[in-house]
């Protein structure tokens, strides 16, 4: 608009000048004098040229202003002394600083520990040498919150009279979210998610580095393996949430009792490890190791408070020394684990050094793991079926599928021997998949043979229950073998629900939506079962055999069992008692109202090929309990 006004003014001036010149020419008596018209035209041309240059410059400045104001990246301009001359809107949005806060102020690299002058000097040196600097740094917003920025600074020289003016243009974007994600991922890969300690991978890496660092001055190092006694029992009774709280407290006590030179890690479950590096251990005597072990075990002796419940712990410790007990990290860890196992056999709150004469790196555990995986691959496991009876109506109610591991010598390994191992090494999920496939194949065969088997229950581990893949497996196998979902019953333990109640509730609803029944196994042995009965869609409670064993002799067991039966009746939940071995137990349960029972009193587990003949022979071998 200003450019058009200027042009219009020049045209008016030209018209006026031409008119004036014409009048002057008519009145002058000297026709040979040069007319001022030429000078006026020249003046207009010069003015137009200046106006065009001004317009172009103004357009560039408008474009620069638009870029500065609309850029999502922060931009600031400094003079040669790094005093800020100008900023854009994005600068204020990201940093919280307004123009008045920073104009005339020097660029500063701020951290939570104060101003980083060393970084500022480095940036200035590289700008003086190369004219450019870039990098990712942390700074502080106006409100004191740290933020990460991807910063680049460029040196700009412009001519100004007799010398060149120097400015610095900085451009940065807020990358806090990305850096926090990177930190999180790094933590996940290097830290135990529960305790915050180093994980197994980092411990192994630290051990290997420490071994390589050993030299003539620092020739040896020490590692310790610590295991909490009976942690599984605590976890099952109090729940995984409080179990995690306990592990955090253990980690906190270990960290506070040892100085920062020790590497403390959680290897898994309730097992911790400590690395005493060469510079801390070398030159020390065996008494230093004993003192350290005593310090570690002492941390477990003070009771822990968990949700208002005082919990006492004990632990065992295994110690191995490099290079006396092994020449590499892997074997040194095996030596420490062997010493730990020996300590656990001797009793609680004990520690043992690895001794070649007493301990051997017995590969039994590795052999068992290898054999277990091989057995899963070769489908060596066999299902047995224990009948469940409806004693009220004198008929067979169904079966429970029980797994056995046949050996070459004809003996059988029972679940309590290999299921814990499978849960520790991750084999439990492929094992359950194998057994579920076997079971549904068998049910499909019985259907074709018109065998009235009722419904069949199978145990699902807490680890497998917490996997989304469980639903996919059930849908896949039920569809593949065309078995009605009502014929299948899943037995889960209370710990499967307590670890993540929200997920457990949704998982159960998905299972129920398929038509599969749910039984809560070993009821009465947990910590909070009663509070979950109303919340979760449970079809059946299974009374643990520990209550059934002495029900005819122990009044407390009778009262607990009777209470469970009445409670289940009020909630319209079925009750099954396991481990029934005598007529007295069966009778007592029957008069309490527990009409579904299983145990050796009725029948021992049957092989699959015996089931059809057993049902044909008689529905119930025993007479109805009177």
């Amino acid at each position: 608009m200003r450019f058009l006004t200027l042009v219009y003014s020049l045209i008016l001036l030209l018209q006026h000048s031409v008119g004036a010149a014409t009048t002057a020419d008519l009145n002058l008596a000297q026709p040979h004098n040069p007319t001022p018209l030429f000078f006026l035209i020249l003046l207009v041309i010069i003015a137009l040229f200046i106006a065009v240059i001004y317009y172009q410059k103004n357009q560039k400045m408008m474009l620069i202003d638009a870029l500065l104001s609309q850029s999502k990246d922060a931009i600031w301009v400094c003079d040669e002394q790094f005093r800020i001359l100008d900023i854009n809107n994005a600068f204020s949005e990201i940093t919280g600083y307004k123009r008045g806060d920073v104009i005339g102020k020097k660029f500063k690299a701020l951290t939570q520990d104060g101003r980083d002058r060393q970084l500022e000097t480095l940036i200035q040196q590289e700008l003086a040498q190369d004219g450019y600097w870039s990098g990712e740094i942390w700074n502080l917003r106006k409100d004191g919150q740290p933020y990460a920025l991807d910063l680049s600074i460029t040196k700009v020289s412009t001519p100004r009279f007799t010398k060149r003016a120097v400015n610095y243009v900085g451009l940065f974007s807020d990358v806090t979210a990305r850096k926090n994600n990177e930190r999180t991922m790094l933590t996940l890969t290097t830290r135990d998610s529960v305790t915050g300690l180093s994980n197994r991978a980092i411990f192994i890496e630290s051990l290997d580095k420490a071994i390589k660092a050993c030299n003539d001055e620092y020739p040896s190092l020490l590692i310790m393996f610590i295991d909490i006694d009976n942690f599984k029992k605590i976890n099952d009774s109090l729940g995984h949430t409080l179990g995690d709280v306990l592990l955090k407290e253990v980690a906190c006590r270990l960290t506070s009792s040892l100085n920062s030179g020790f590497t403390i890690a959680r290897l898994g479950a309730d097992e911790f490890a400590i690395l005493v590096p060469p510079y801390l251990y070398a030159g020390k005597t065996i008494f230093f190791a004993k003192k350290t072990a005593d310090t570690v075990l002492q941390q477990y002796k003070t009771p822990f408070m968990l949700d208002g419940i005082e919990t006492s712990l004990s632990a065992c410790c295994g110690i191995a020394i490099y290079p006396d007990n092994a020449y590499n990290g892997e074997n040194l860890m095996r030596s420490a684990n062997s010493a730990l196992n020996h300590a656990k056999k001797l009793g609680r709150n004990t520690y043992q050094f690895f001794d070649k004469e007493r301990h051997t790196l017995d590969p039994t555990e590795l052999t068992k793991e290898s054999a277990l995986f091989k057995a899963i691959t070769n489908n060596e496991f066999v299902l047995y079926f224990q009948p469940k009876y409806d004693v009220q109506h004198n008929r067979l109610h169904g079966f429970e599928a029980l797994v056995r591991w046949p050996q070459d010598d004809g003996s059988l390994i029972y679940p309590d021997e290999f299921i814990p191992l499978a849960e520790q090494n991750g084999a439990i999920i492929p094992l359950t998949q194998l057994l579920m496939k076997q079971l549904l194949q068998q049910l499909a065969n019985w259907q074709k043979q018109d065998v009235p088997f009722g419904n069949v229950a199978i145990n699902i581990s807490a680890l497998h229950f917490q996997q989304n893949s469980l639903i996919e497996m059930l849908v896949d196998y039920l569809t593949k073998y065309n078995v009605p979902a009502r014929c299948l019953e899943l037995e889960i333990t209370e710990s499967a629900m307590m670890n993540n109640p929200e997920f457990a509730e949704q998982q159960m609803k998905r299972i129920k939506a398929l038509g599969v029944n749910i039984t809560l196994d070993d009821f009465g042995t947990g910590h909070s079962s009663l509070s979950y009965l109303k919340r979760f869609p449970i079809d059946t409670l299974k009374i643990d055999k520990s209550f059934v064993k002495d029900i005819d002799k122990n009044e407390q067991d009778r009262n607990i069992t009777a209470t469970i039966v009445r409670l289940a009746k009020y909630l319209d939940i079925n009750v099954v008692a396991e481990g029934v071995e005598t007529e007295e137990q069966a009778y007592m349960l029957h008069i309490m109202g527990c009409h579904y029972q299983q145990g050796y009193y009725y029948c021992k587990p049957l092989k699959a090929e015996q089931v059809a003949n057993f049902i044909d022979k008689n529905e119930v071998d025993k007479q109805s309990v009177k």
Side-chain angles (χ1 to χ4, degrees), residues 37-47:
L37 180 62
F38 172 77
F39 298 103
L40 291 173
I41 293 175
L42 181 61
L43 178 63
V44 169
I45 292 174
I46 294 173

Side-chain angles (χ1 to χ4, degrees), residues 516-533:
V516 176
N517 296 310
I518 299 175
T519 294
L520 184 58
D521 197 11
D522 298 335
F523 184 77
T525 61
H527 181 64
S528 306
S529 298
L530 297 180
S531 65
Y532 290 149
L533 291 183

Side-chain angles (χ1 to χ4, degrees), residues 72-171:
K72 299 299 180 184
D73 291 330
I75 302 173
W76 48 267
V77 181
C78 288
D79 62 15
E80 193 168 1
Q81 284 72 43
F82 284 90
R83 291 188 294 263
I84 297 177
L85 301 175
D86 198 6
I87 62 172
N88 67 345
N89 294 333
F91 184 99
S92 297
E93 292 173 0
I94 293 175
T95 67
Y97 288 102
K98 304 300 182 183
R99 290 179 57 85
D101 298 327
V102 296
I103 298 300
K105 305 289 181 62
K106 283 194 173 185
F107 161 78
K108 297 178 182 178
L110 302 176
T111 70
Q112 290 180 312
D113 297 326
R115 184 175 176 183
D116 192 344
R117 296 181 182 274
Q118 185 176 0
L119 176 61
E120 293 176 14
T121 302
L122 175 65
I123 292 175
Q124 293 174 12
Q125 288 175 348
E126 291 197 16
L127 285 171
Q129 180 178 344
D130 303 324
Y132 181 78
W133 184 91
S134 67
E136 293 182 354
I137 65 173
W138 285 87
N139 212 328
L140 294 182
R141 305 185 201 275
K142 186 177 181 179
D143 60 6
Q145 293 298 314
Y147 71 103
L149 57 151
D150 185 0
L151 171 66
S152 62
I153 305 176
T154 304
K155 181 179 180 181
V156 179
S157 298
T158 55
R160 181 180 297 174
F161 301 108
T162 59
K163 66 176 184 177
R164 301 184 66 83
V166 175
N167 291 100
Y168 297 98
V169 178
L171 183 146

Side-chain angles (χ1 to χ4, degrees), residues 397 440 443 447 453-457 478 482-490 511-512 514-518 539:
H397 177 63
L440 292 179
L443 298 187
Q447 279 187 313
F453 55 83
N455 73 337
V456 181
L478 288 170
N482 195 28
V483 174
R486 67 177 182 277
C487 297
L488 182 64
E489 186 174 318
L490 301 185
I511 292 172
K512 292 290 294 178
L514 297 178
V516 176
N517 296 310
I518 299 175
D539 299 292

Side-chain angles (χ1 to χ4, degrees), residues 542-571:
K542 177 169 278 191
I543 300 175
D544 187 68
K545 59 186 178 183
S546 63
F547 298 111
V548 175
K549 181 180 179 181
D550 296 321
I551 195 172
D552 55 331
K553 305 172 186 176
N554 188 299
E555 184 178 359
Q556 187 177 20
D557 285 346
R558 285 197 298 272
N559 292 336
I560 292 174
T561 304
T563 301
I564 293 173
V565 173
R566 286 196 300 269
L567 179 63
K569 183 178 180 180
Y570 294 147
L571 297 175

Side-chain angles (χ1 to χ4, degrees), residues 222-257:
L222 173 77
I223 66 170
M224 296 181 176
F225 277 15
I226 307 105
D227 187 82
I228 303 174
D229 296 323
N230 295 324
F231 178 74
K232 185 178 185 301
K233 183 178 180 180
I234 295 172
N235 224 9
D236 290 341
S237 61
L238 299 181
H240 287 270
T241 300
L242 289 181
D244 288 348
V245 172
L246 177 61
L247 292 173
K248 291 178 183 177
E249 179 61 25
V250 168
C252 183
R253 291 188 184 185
L254 290 176
T255 303
S256 60
S257 64

Side-chain angles (χ1 to χ4, degrees), residues 22-54:
T22 304
T23 304
D25 287 343
L26 292 174
N27 295 329
L28 292 175
Q30 298 175 349
H32 298 291
N33 289 340
T35 175
L37 180 62
F38 172 77
F39 298 103
L40 291 173
I41 293 175
L42 181 61
L43 178 63
V44 169
I45 292 174
I46 294 173
L48 286 173
F49 179 73
I50 294 173
V52 169
I53 293 176
Y54 173 80

